[in-house]
Amino acid sequence: MSFLRFLMLLSLVAWIGGLIFFAFVLAPTAFSVLPNTHLAGNVVRSALSKMHWIAIISAIIFLASSLALSRIIDGTPHPFAARNVLILTMLLLTSISQFGIIPRMDKLRAAVSDFAALAVDNPVRMQFDALHVWSTRVEGAVLLLGLIAVYLTASVLSQR
């Protein structure tokens, strides 16, 4: 049972820690250090994709461990426990970003060499900027839900 608890916590630490590092360290640093926004965008895009795959794997590990632990302790897996619902919601949002928003942004980036060179009212730039806003909102929501999931998981695990 300790190993299942460890896996649940490790998956949350990797996921939420990665989100915090990405949002507050990697992305701002890339845009402040690299010589142009196009290069910074390339770095951020690559890191975001890798972070999403870590998130997807973390969600699977968390859910499998959580369901197994509940089954062992309570005799039922409790699939609709709040922590599991939060993780599923986070997984859904991460998947929307990875497989919906980012591919659309990639198509626009491929069509334009550098968005900084485009006028703010250019339709392609406006579309990219709108997608970027949605991407940021989705990642923010995942982080907020993740912090709640950490709290709920810690509370549940400390009671067992």
Side-chain angles (χ1 to χ4, degrees), residues 73-136:
I73 292 173
D74 300 330
T76 182
H78 299 291
F80 298 109
R83 66 185 181 276
N84 295 336
V85 172
L86 285 170
I87 296 298
L88 281 170
T89 304
M90 292 165 59
L91 177 60
L92 175 65
L93 290 171
T94 298
S95 297
I96 288 169
S97 180
Q98 179 68 19
F99 304 114
I101 297 171
I102 290 178
R104 292 171 59 196
M105 290 175 76
D106 286 344
K107 285 182 184 176
L108 294 171
R109 287 187 87 223
V112 175
S113 61
D114 189 5
F115 280 99
L118 290 180
V120 178
D121 61 350
N122 180 293
V124 175
R125 181 169 179 174
M126 290 172 60
Q127 187 178 7
F128 182 86
D129 289 346
L131 287 168
H132 183 267
V133 167
W134 275 107
S135 174
T136 303

Side-chain angles (χ1 to χ4, degrees), residues 35-46:
N36 62 56
T37 57
H38 185 72
L39 288 175
N42 287 341
V43 169
V44 168
R45 164 60 180 98
S46 179

